[in-house]
């Protein structure tokens, strides 16, 4: 069963739908030439929501893909998954 079908991504999908709505709201605020500080505050909220979704997906990945690789006897897969995780962490920390 894939991650969407078994509900693992349900929370992350809800968060991303919230981000989507926030983005539309921010565009509307810009079109209406609302106060810049109000727009910036909404952008900060959007970024926080996106970070929360990213963290959730990373947790799902760690709890499934990474754990499966580490539990297997496949050293190549284990090395690949650890390298992939380290690369993701590096990107996130930029």
């Amino acid at each position: 069963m894939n991650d969407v079908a078994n509900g693992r991504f349900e929370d992350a999908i809800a968060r991303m739908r919230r981000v989507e709505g926030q983005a539309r709201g921010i565009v509307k605020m810009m079109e209406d030439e609302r106060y810049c500080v109000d727009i910036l505050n909404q952008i900060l909220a959007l970024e926080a929501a996106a970070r929360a979704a990213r963290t959730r997906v990373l947790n799902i990945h760690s709890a499934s893909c990474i754990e499966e690789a580490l539990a297997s006897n496949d050293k190549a897969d284990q090395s690949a998954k650890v390298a992939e995780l380290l690369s993701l962490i590096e990107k996130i920390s930029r």
Side-chain angles (χ1 to χ4, degrees):
M1 184 177 292
N2 69 33
D3 289 331
V4 173
N6 68 21
R8 281 196 234 190
F9 285 114
E10 188 174 317
D11 179 62
I13 290 169
R15 290 175 188 273
M16 290 308 299
R17 290 194 198 288
R18 194 170 308 123
V19 168
E20 182 181 33
Q22 286 173 312
R24 282 193 305 272
I26 291 167
V27 168
K28 177 78 169 107
M29 290 175 77
M30 291 174 172
E31 290 171 345
D32 293 345
E33 296 187 17
R34 298 269 304 270
Y35 186 55
C36 293
V37 172
D38 293 339
I39 294 169
L40 290 168
N41 282 326
Q42 289 304 308
I43 291 171
L44 290 170
L46 178 144
E47 290 171 341
R51 277 192 309 275
R54 178 187 67 200
T55 298
R56 179 66 183 129
V57 173
L58 182 59
N59 288 339
I60 292 166
H61 181 60
S62 297
S64 59
C65 302
I66 302 297
E67 283 185 12
E68 287 173 17
L70 294 176
S72 76
N73 290 323
D74 186 342
K75 297 295 182 194
D77 189 39
Q78 291 171 348
S79 293
K81 293 295 187 214
V82 169
E84 181 181 68
L85 182 59
L86 292 174
S87 176
L88 284 169
I89 291 169
E90 181 182 340
K91 287 177 186 176
I92 289 169
S93 66
R94 291 183 195 153

